[in-house]
């Protein structure tokens, strides 16, 4: 994954969440749970690192805003 950009955590209430899960369905289910509680810039795909187990997903949260439901 790319390094976290300073702009993604420039203010209180902004966060970057990296999810490691056994499979895509689990990673996206967790992202969906986060989206129910705060505004989120969701990921549309997971990544796999050669030689590492499972998948990874990164999403960006803004705790200052309500979720778009």
């Amino acid at each position: 994954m790319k390094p976290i950009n300073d702009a993604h955590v420039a203010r209180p209430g902004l966060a970057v969440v990296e999810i490691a899960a056994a499979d895509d369905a689990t990673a996206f289910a967790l992202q969906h749970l986060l989206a129910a509680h705060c505004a989120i810039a969701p990921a549309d795909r997971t990544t796999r690192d050669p030689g590492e187990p499972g998948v990874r997903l990164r999403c960006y949260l803004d705790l200052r805003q309500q979720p778009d439901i």
Side-chain angles (χ1 to χ4, degrees):
M1 292 189 144
K2 295 179 182 179
I4 295 170
N5 185 317
D6 290 341
H8 294 133
V9 292
R11 297 188 176 120
L14 299 178
V16 178
V17 176
E18 293 185 342
I19 299 167
D23 56 30
D24 289 354
T26 303
F28 286 118
L30 182 52
Q31 178 177 256
H32 182 73
L33 287 172
L34 291 170
H37 297 285
C38 58
I40 185 172
D44 58 355
R45 65 181 179 89
T46 61
T47 60
R48 295 183 183 273
D49 294 329
E52 297 291 325
V55 299
R56 300 201 184 282
L57 178 141
R58 181 184 288 174
C59 55
Y60 303 91
L61 299 123
D62 187 342
L63 301 173
R64 303 167 303 166
Q65 298 181 32
Q66 293 296 317
D68 291 334
I69 297 178

